[in-house]
Amino acid sequence: MKGKISNQLGEIQIGPEVIALYAGTTAVECFGIVGMAAVSMKDGLVKLLKKESLTHGINVQIKDNRISVDFHVIVAYGVSISAVCDNLIESVKYKLEEFTGMEVEKINVYVEGVRVID
């Protein structure tokens, strides 16, 4: 389902792929986030996604013009996971609401792995 914004000139529709890409770009800018993760259900393997595939680690749902986002992330070794996730949630919520004009209802963060940054 697409998000809709109506004004006196007409209607704007925003697809979930656009929101996922913007959210992913915002997320990888956050301190402590190494990148998005892709989880293989059949193998149970987690792999770090390249910048071109940011949206594969993100699931966006839009219902009644309210956004829900699920992130599957890999965090940097040695950082506070709760602090990194809190920062991610606040940054993404603020930027998505500014970008879309819609309310962010919920952001879930699934930490799929930890990586040492060189």
Side-chain angles (χ1 to χ4, degrees):
M1 174 181 268
K2 293 185 178 185
K4 295 180 184 176
I5 302 169
S6 298
N7 61 24
Q8 69 276 11
L9 299 175
E11 185 174 276
I12 302 167
Q13 293 188 3
I14 304 172
E17 314 81 36
V18 175
I19 294 171
L21 183 59
Y22 191 76
T25 305
T26 301
V28 295
E29 292 174 356
C30 292
F31 174 78
I33 300 293
V34 176
M36 296 298 117
V39 181
S40 170
M41 293 303 172
K42 71 174 186 183
D43 301 331
L45 297 174
V46 175
K47 72 175 189 176
L48 180 64
L49 295 170
K50 295 181 172 58
K51 290 201 188 253
E52 300 83 45
S53 348
L54 283 178
T55 58
H56 294 302
I58 302 170
N59 183 26
V60 174
Q61 296 176 353
I62 304 168
K63 186 174 182 184
D64 299 327
N65 259 7
R66 299 172 82 194
I67 303 169
S68 296
V69 185
D70 294 336
F71 285 98
H72 295 271
V73 298
I74 296 176
V75 298
Y77 177 80
V79 297
S80 167
I81 291 175
S82 64
V84 168
C85 291
D86 287 344
N87 181 36
L88 171 67
I89 291 168
E90 290 300 317
S91 296
V92 170
K93 182 179 186 312
Y94 173 77
K95 289 202 175 183
L96 278 181
E97 287 179 348
E98 285 288 310
F99 179 64
T100 64
M102 294 186 281
E103 180 185 349
V104 175
E105 179 178 25
K106 171 170 59 171
I107 297 176
N108 297 314
V109 181
Y110 301 96
V111 178
E112 301 292 351
V114 177
R115 289 271 169 100
V116 177
I117 300 175
D118 297 334

